[in-house]
Amino acid sequence: MAMENESSVTEFILVGFTDQSQLQLPLFFLFLLNYVVTVVGNLSFINLICLNSHLHTPIYFFTFNLSFIDLCQSLVITPKMLMNFVSEKNIISFTECMTQLVFFCFFAHSECYVLTAMAYDRYVAICQLLVYTVTMSPQVCSLLMFGSYVMGFAGAMVHTGDMVRLSFCDSNIINHYMCDIFPLYQLSCSSTYASELVDSIIVITVVIISSSIIFISYVLILSSVLHISSALGWSKTFSTCGSHIVTVGLFYGSGLFTHLKTSPSGSMGQGKFFSVFYTNIVPMLNPFIYSLRNKDVKCALKKTLKRIAN
């Protein structure tokens, strides 16, 4: 995709998370810590899955890809965000801005599809246990992931293509810490109606389809669990699905609040605050959510540490 359009603007200035000077340094160290924990946590989780054969199962295959997406999302967003806190003027070129946008959209869309695939996997594991190995074969899992990335890439191309076609000829100050869709629309000096309509249709379609599949999967799981009388069965089901439910809640919840506009003046500050959750907080928490109460991961960690020690 060509990153050229008829804009007179060749670079943008990112305002950052806040313009309060007394908060810049504390926030820099806070988000630097967040960045280190996110990178180390997700890399460790990825390596743990690779090094332990008993984790080579469908659910950990999807979790592996989820960690990979979270790691990449952090690498795309956080370094430029950290620059906002220590530089007087954080400049990003038009090409760099569009590149960041396409990767951000790609990983955000892909994460939606991966979370949907994980919900389907949990449904098959609990409700169709006898045919689980056949239904969730390596070929099926690979196709689900391939489809997730392809659809994520297609969505990202449409979002970025809509943005590249716009003209930017007046203000070049983005009231955000990254190149996001709606802050960029506010700077365009050409009509954004068609682009906003297309982007809204894509986002709404993705959210409705993925959330519907997740919801239906858990309704069927709940219906199946209601027939389990033992407390052990309930506990096992909750431990199997609990981590995924928490991740889905955090990801979709923060995304929803990001795009809810309470007032024209406060909506952008509110959007920046909640967008931090799915660009910084969720990627940091996911490795811990999937490992703290997980016996398989704890066992794999102990085995890996023993190997390192020996």
Side-chain angles (χ1 to χ4, degrees):
M1 177 187 294
M3 294 297 180
E4 298 286 337
N5 68 357
E6 299 177 359
S7 301
S8 59
V9 172
T10 58
E11 61 184 27
F12 296 102
I13 299 171
L14 294 168
V15 169
F17 186 70
T18 180
D19 56 1
Q20 298 183 39
S21 57
Q22 69 272 21
L23 295 177
Q24 300 295 332
L25 201 56
L27 285 174
F28 170 77
F29 287 111
L30 180 64
F31 282 104
L32 179 62
L33 177 63
N34 163 266
Y35 183 54
V36 172
V37 172
T38 301
V39 172
V40 173
N42 282 287
L43 275 177
S44 299
F45 201 61
I46 288 169
N47 286 324
L48 205 62
I49 294 171
C50 289
L51 295 173
N52 292 272
S53 57
H54 74 279
L55 296 182
H56 295 175
T57 59
I59 187 59
Y60 290 109
F61 174 73
F62 294 125
T63 310
F64 171 93
N65 281 277
L66 185 66
S67 283
F68 173 74
I69 289 170
D70 286 338
L71 174 65
C72 293
Q73 186 76 287
S74 183
L75 293 173
V76 168
I77 301 298
T78 313
K80 200 66 181 174
M81 183 186 189
L82 291 172
M83 288 288 293
N84 285 320
F85 296 120
V86 294
S87 60
E88 188 174 334
K89 187 184 290 186
N90 192 12
I91 296 172
I92 184 170
S93 70
F94 183 86
T95 302
E96 288 175 330
C97 187
M98 293 302 108
T99 301
Q100 187 186 60
L101 177 65
V102 73
F103 278 110
F104 166 67
C105 292
F106 169 60
F107 292 123
H109 276 259
S110 297
E111 184 150 351
C112 283
Y113 298 126
V114 173
L115 290 172
T116 305
M118 292 173 77
Y120 176 69
D121 172 77
R122 293 301 82 202
Y123 156 72
V124 177
I126 294 170
C127 302
Q128 307 288 332
L129 183 59
L130 295 177
V131 293
Y132 179 70
T133 54
V134 176
T135 306
M136 299 305 295
S137 65
Q139 292 81 7
V140 171
C141 292
S142 297
L143 281 173
L144 284 172
M145 276 314 311
F146 178 73
S148 297
Y149 287 127
V150 168
M151 290 189 291
F153 181 75
M157 287 294 102
V158 174
H159 288 310
T160 311
D162 286 340
M163 198 63 65
V164 169
R165 283 192 289 270
L166 298 177
S167 296
F168 299 91
C169 50
D170 191 9
S171 174
N172 68 335
I173 300 174
I174 301 174
N175 186 16
H176 214 288
Y177 58 82
M178 65 177 182
C179 291
D180 200 358
I181 295 171
F182 294 106
L184 283 167
Y185 277 149
Q186 294 181 346
L187 301 183
S188 175
C189 55
S190 57
S191 175
T192 63
Y193 176 77
S195 296
E196 288 193 61
L197 181 63
V198 171
D199 287 341
S200 296
I201 290 172
I202 290 173
V203 171
I204 290 170
T205 302
V206 170
V207 170
I208 288 176
I209 291 174
S210 60
S211 59
S212 296
I213 293 172
I214 293 170
F215 178 75
I216 292 169
S217 296
Y218 278 108
V219 166
L220 294 172
I221 288 171
L222 182 61
S223 175
S224 177
V225 168
L226 289 174
H227 295 90
I228 301 174
S229 57
S230 68
L232 181 63
W234 277 84
S235 176
K236 187 175 180 181
T237 302
F238 179 77
S239 64
T240 303
C241 301
S243 300
H244 181 254
I245 293 172
V246 171
T247 302
V248 169
L250 286 171
F251 182 77
Y252 282 96
S254 58
L256 176 65
F257 281 112
T258 299
H259 297 100
L260 281 178
K261 296 183 179 180
T262 53
S263 65
S265 59
S267 60
M268 188 54 67
Q270 173 184 284
K272 284 194 285 186
F273 176 78
F274 284 110
S275 64
V276 164
F277 278 86
Y278 68 80
T279 60
N280 298 80
I281 306 301
V282 173
M284 179 186 71
L285 292 179
N286 277 345
F288 298 101
I289 291 171
Y290 282 97
S291 61
L292 287 179
R293 293 178 59 84
N294 191 307
K295 293 179 181 178
D296 291 333
V297 174
K298 288 180 179 178
C299 179
L301 182 59
K302 288 178 182 177
K303 286 182 180 179
T304 304
L305 290 175
K306 282 182 181 178
R307 274 185 233 157
I308 294 171
N310 295 333

